[in-house]
Amino acid sequence: MKRADKGAEPASLQTYRLAQPTATWDDLRNDALFGGQKAYKDIRTHTHADQGGVCAYCEIDVGNDDPLKSRIEHFHPKADTSTPMNWALDWPNMLAVCLGGSYRHGTAPHTLEPLASNLSCDAHKDLLIQQGHLLSACEGWVINPLLLPGSPCLFRVDKFTGELYPHGDHCAAVAAWPGNMHADLPALVVHTITVLNLNCPRLCAARLAVVHDIERNKKKMAALKLKPEEGLARLAQRYLQHRWPAFVTTIRSCLGAAAEARMAAM
């Protein structure tokens, strides 16, 4: 998981919210009279562009805005009516996420059998909520990608298993996390990984493919007799050509300081 950036709210969403302040999410998606359908289209376009075309949770590529690969997630439950806030139409509450492995006819790494153990992201989070294992308003229990620092990265990838873990040193360098319901920041990171099932076999296999590709190219750089820092800098430029490649946290783990320097330059 990396920080999800949030750009300016689409004007069409502002217009729709003024016209229909109590509308639900389904109202917006189905409403042609007050421009709801256009607002929905613009929400998808803007969130995908803001996030560089990757899922806000697992970092899988959803860059082409394919409705069979991505959807809009409301981090705070959109049905919450306990406050005057209409969470369904709140722009900062919207994230572009993948389908979490729930689309049976998708291809790997978006889908992998068995589906039950390979659910992730909001699909797995919603399952836990339905089972009563997680509060629907999970702020403080699960990290909101919009609140993550751009650097340092709080997650690291095990290069042998593809699993995500807290980055101990980086977590220690971050000030106390506001509203953290866990004992410390590493515990919050672990719980976030668990709730979103980011270490499901499907995602671990996808990360390992990235790791193996980078390691092969490291050997090629060494064969050219480049200095290690020069080789890593070249690889960082290759793998971080745009905002953002799929599994960018994996790339950061493999390329270290070279990746951080490249990201800062971008």
Side-chain angles (χ1 to χ4, degrees):
M1 182 189 288
K2 64 171 286 296
R3 184 183 68 194
D5 294 322
K6 201 72 177 169
E9 179 179 14
S12 56
L13 174 57
Q14 294 181 15
T15 300
Y16 182 80
R17 190 172 55 247
L18 288 173
Q20 298 288 94
T22 62
T24 67
W25 181 244
D26 286 340
D27 290 339
L28 176 142
R29 292 183 62 180
N30 298 318
D31 190 327
L33 181 61
F34 294 99
Q37 292 176 0
K38 182 182 187 314
Y40 174 69
K41 181 179 178 181
D42 290 345
I43 288 166
R44 288 187 61 94
T45 300
H46 283 233
T47 51
H48 282 72
D50 288 344
Q51 294 170 203
V54 299
C55 171
Y57 292 141
C58 73
E59 302 176 352
I60 206 168
D61 180 18
V62 294
N64 59 3
D65 194 10
D66 185 343
L68 297 181
K69 291 184 178 179
S70 67
R71 57 185 163 219
I72 300 300
E73 147 87 332
H74 291 75
F75 188 81
H76 185 90
K78 58 182 177 288
D80 182 10
T81 58
S82 63
T83 68
M85 167 76 74
N86 186 345
W87 293 100
L89 304 185
D90 182 47
W91 173 239
N93 194 37
M94 301 177 189
L95 298 165
V97 299
C98 68
L99 299 187
S102 62
Y103 179 55
R104 182 173 295 278
H105 301 291
T107 56
H110 286 271
T111 302
L112 187 68
E113 293 285 357
L115 291 183
S117 61
N118 276 294
L119 289 179
S120 71
C121 306
D122 71 316
H124 193 264
K125 177 164 73 77
D126 288 347
L127 177 64
L128 294 183
I129 291 172
Q130 293 166 15
Q131 293 174 340
H133 299 312
L134 179 70
L135 295 173
S136 58
C138 60
E139 290 91 335
W141 295 102
V142 177
I143 292 175
N144 184 337
L146 293 172
L147 301 181
L148 277 172
S151 182
C153 183
L154 304 185
F155 298 79
R156 68 173 181 84
V157 176
D158 187 306
K159 297 178 184 178
F160 296 99
T161 66
E163 293 179 318
L164 286 173
Y165 292 98
H167 193 301
D169 292 340
H170 290 177
C171 287
V174 174
W177 194 271
N180 187 1
M181 302 299 292
H182 299 275
D184 51 31
L185 184 51
L188 174 60
V189 172
V190 168
H191 194 66
T192 297
I193 293 168
T194 301
V195 166
L196 301 176
N197 204 22
L198 297 181
N199 283 339
C200 67
R202 173 176 59 86
L203 293 176
C204 288
R207 290 189 206 102
L208 278 179
V210 176
V211 170
H212 294 160
D213 188 65
I214 292 176
E215 294 304 315
R216 282 193 297 269
N217 281 297
K218 282 183 179 180
K219 292 179 180 178
K220 291 180 180 179
M221 294 295 106
L224 293 175
K225 300 190 183 302
L226 297 175
K227 293 181 179 179
E229 58 270 21
E230 183 180 354
L232 290 174
R234 287 192 184 186
L235 292 179
Q237 186 171 9
R238 176 186 303 180
Y239 284 97
L240 296 168
Q241 296 182 32
H242 60 86
R243 304 176 54 252
W244 294 107
F247 303 112
V248 63
T249 296
T250 304
I251 296 171
R252 295 173 80 171
S253 286
C254 291
L255 298 181
E260 300 306 311
R262 173 66 179 167
M263 290 176 69
M266 294 170 68

